[in-house]
Amino acid sequence: MTRNPIACDVPFDTDGKHHGFLRLPYSRDDSAWGSVMIPITVIRNGDGPTALFTGGSHGDEYEGPVAIQNLARELEPDDIRGRVILVPMMNFPAFQAGRRTSPIDGGNLNRLFPGRPDGSVTQKIADYFTRVLVPMADIVLDIHSGGKTLDFLPFAAVHVLEDKDQEAACEAAMRAFNAPYSMKLLEIDSAGMYDDTVEAQGKVFVTTELGGAGTATPASVGIALRGMRNLLSHAGICRTPPEFGQSRGLDMPGPDCFVFARHSGLFEPLVALGDRVEKGATVARVWSADRTGADPVSYTVGREGIIVSRHVPGLIQNGDCLAVVAVDTGPVTGR
Ligand code: ZN
């Protein structure tokens, strides 16, 4: 198979802390032999397990980039045994542009896995993770949030897997991450996701939705940083004991968890993230965006539960995800 054109300018197998770049050749009008430079940090101290932590798969999600920047500065080789690979802005062109998708090729990185070594810029990034970085890792964390158009209750998540031993290992890692909420996630659009690629390689994988609305907060960054440190302890890479707070279990058992807009207009939320709602409760109204005096359209939820996600911009479009409700499955313990 074609070699991936990305070159990493830091070593993966040399002890110490190394900051550098994944350099992806990208010839274009303003730079004939130019490159996309994706920041990477590799921290190694002897033999041991490898953790791969990523953010910025979607370029408008800031919780992962901010928290991983902090960890890359703070974590020292003496703190660990094994290796930690940090890529805070996976889809770097999208991150630079403040967009979910890449301005170069329109690529949504988390829908283009496993990628192609001879494909578009975004497909090449996906292929490098699939064939170079993920195979090195024992435990993989990918930090997501709602970006500019959604906001989430902060949760870590795992998927239902065919291999029940792997599923149990992922769940144990999710509990160790110890976000305020811990979710069994139903994906509505899983084709081409990084998650599937990582899980298919048999890795312990945790993903998150840690907020959104196009910014990080002190709370969301704190959750991400503590979660990453807890995962390093859980994996035996750090010796410091994990710190556990309260976490509640959530489940999204079916498509009736989602409410989609069927009108465009002015969005009026009637519930907040974390609110408990009964089946049939009205959670939002959509008003006319171009006249007064018209009745709004009311939106209700199809099941009782907790509001875990909501639409963010003040205007909403026909087909947008308006709200998500999940079932509360009770307290989750860190261990
Ligand atoms: Zn995302």
Side-chain angles (χ1 to χ4, degrees):
M1 189 182 263
T2 314
R3 230 180 111 252
N4 189 289
I6 293 177
C8 182
D9 67 6
V10 294
F12 288 109
D13 294 315
T14 305
D15 282 357
K17 176 149 92 169
H18 312 277
H19 304 290
F21 297 95
L22 302 170
R23 191 178 66 79
L24 165 55
Y26 170 46
S27 178
R28 56 194 194 268
D29 287 345
D30 68 345
S31 186
W33 286 8
S35 314
V36 170
M37 302 292 279
I38 305 165
I40 182 171
T41 293
V42 179
I43 307 164
R44 186 179 186 276
N45 185 8
D47 292 331
T50 294
L52 171 61
F53 293 168
T54 53
S57 170
H58 295 126
D60 64 348
E61 301 172 1
Y62 299 99
E63 295 80 354
V66 173
I68 295 172
Q69 284 278 31
N70 274 272
L71 189 68
R73 284 268 298 160
E74 290 168 9
L75 195 66
E76 296 297 337
D78 284 349
D79 301 332
I80 70 167
R81 184 182 63 83
R83 183 168 54 181
V84 179
I85 301 172
L86 303 172
V87 184
M89 308 128 185
M90 273 176 112
N91 194 349
F92 188 68
F95 173 81
Q96 267 188 310
R99 289 170 43 160
R100 183 172 178 83
T101 59
S102 175
I104 296 173
D105 54 19
N108 179 342
L109 180 57
N110 209 24
R111 299 294 182 276
L112 288 173
F113 276 86
R116 293 179 62 98
D118 56 354
S120 69
V121 163
T122 312
Q123 288 173 318
K124 286 171 179 164
I125 296 171
D127 179 71
Y128 188 81
F129 275 86
T130 300
R131 292 197 292 145
V132 179
L133 293 182
V134 174
M136 291 186 210
D138 300 288
I139 187 162
V140 179
L141 167 73
D142 191 26
I143 300 177
H144 285 260
S145 74
K148 288 179 174 171
T149 64
L150 289 171
D151 198 8
F152 282 93
L153 270 191
F155 63 79
V158 294
H159 300 107
V160 176
L161 300 175
E162 270 175 33
D163 179 338
K164 291 302 162 193
D165 290 342
Q166 186 188 6
E167 183 182 313
C170 294
E171 263 198 88
M174 172 179 70
R175 289 196 300 272
F177 186 93
N178 192 233
Y181 295 87
S182 301
M183 174 78 87
K184 272 278 176 87
L185 193 62
L186 172 77
E187 295 292 351
I188 55 172
D189 182 18
S190 71
M193 287 182 70
Y194 181 55
D195 311 44
D196 288 5
T197 292
V198 176
E199 288 158 358
Q201 292 189 28
K203 309 299 181 182
V204 174
F205 179 69
V206 177
T207 186
T208 72
E209 298 289 357
L210 291 185
T215 188
T217 66
S220 63
V221 172
I223 292 162
L225 258 177
R226 190 188 64 176
M228 287 191 287
R229 290 187 172 280
N230 280 0
L231 277 187
L232 293 178
S233 303
H234 177 78
I237 296 172
C238 275
R239 278 179 297 271
T240 41
E243 276 178 49
F244 291 130
Q246 290 199 334
S247 183
R248 280 202 89 78
L250 296 172
D251 189 15
M252 286 168 54
D256 58 355
C257 293
F258 298 88
V259 183
F260 289 97
R262 292 186 172 279
H263 305 81
S264 300
L266 174 64
F267 178 62
E268 181 191 4
L270 298 176
V271 291
L273 293 178
D275 282 358
R276 289 172 187 274
V277 291
E278 297 298 321
K279 180 178 179 178
T282 304
V283 294
R285 296 191 289 191
V286 176
W287 293 87
S288 169
D290 60 10
R291 70 198 59 235
T292 54
D295 289 337
V297 183
S298 293
Y299 284 86
T300 59
V301 283
R303 61 185 314 143
E304 71 164 340
I306 295 178
I307 300 292
V308 296
S309 180
R310 55 154 283 192
H311 174 83
V312 167
L315 297 178
I316 195 163
Q317 305 170 83
N318 188 11
D320 284 357
C321 182
L322 183 147
V324 182
V325 61
V327 177
D328 180 3
T329 58
V332 173
T333 52
R335 276 216 193 281

